[in-house]
Amino acid sequence: MPGRAREDRIDTAVLAATREVLDDNGYADLSIGEVATRSGIHRPAIYRRWPSKRHLVVAVVADALGVRPTPDTGDLRADLTVALRDLVAALRDTSLDRVLPALVADLANDPELRAHFLATVFEPRRASTAAALRAGMARGEVDPDIDLDFVLDVVAAPIYFRALFGHLPLDDALVDSSVEAVVRLVQ
């Protein structure tokens, strides 16, 4: 017998309330009780969808970053620029710049959460960028002999590095430098 159908309105309300709590209180002080109060959704309904507050934060990160970030318009440089500007905006203009370091620390100590994060956020985003690079190969923009995994690591590494350490700004200049480096690397 199949379970109850998932209600999008519950997911939407809970994710919005979680973003609010993260903005107001930060990652360490996030509580399912506060999310339940702000969303108007009972705790059991939240726990049926997300087994812990950390899983809920992964859902918020996936929602904020998107899982198919890299378009394929026929111009690799333009596609990477759009994808990385969206990433910078999500990290710079939301509480994700404060949430991500704490979440990464939790990922290091919780293999199940790490696997969930990789499957929910990391791998879909990486697959989207890999598809754009493969399309670039088919168009002759990308050398087919590149180390695809290394290039995928390089694409957003400077942005995540700055988001994690906050030592320099997340801005369009960083995006432009990152895209230029990747384009040179793949030719």
Side-chain angles (χ1 to χ4, degrees), residues 122-135:
F122 186 81
E123 291 165 2
R125 293 182 61 79
R126 190 172 175 93
S128 172
T129 304
L133 287 165
R134 285 187 189 99

Side-chain angles (χ1 to χ4, degrees), residues 5-16 41 49-50:
R6 202 165 166 117
E7 293 184 47
D8 289 340
R9 73 168 184 82
I10 292 175
D11 291 357
T12 301
V14 171
L15 293 176
I41 305 298
R49 288 161 175 75
W50 300 280

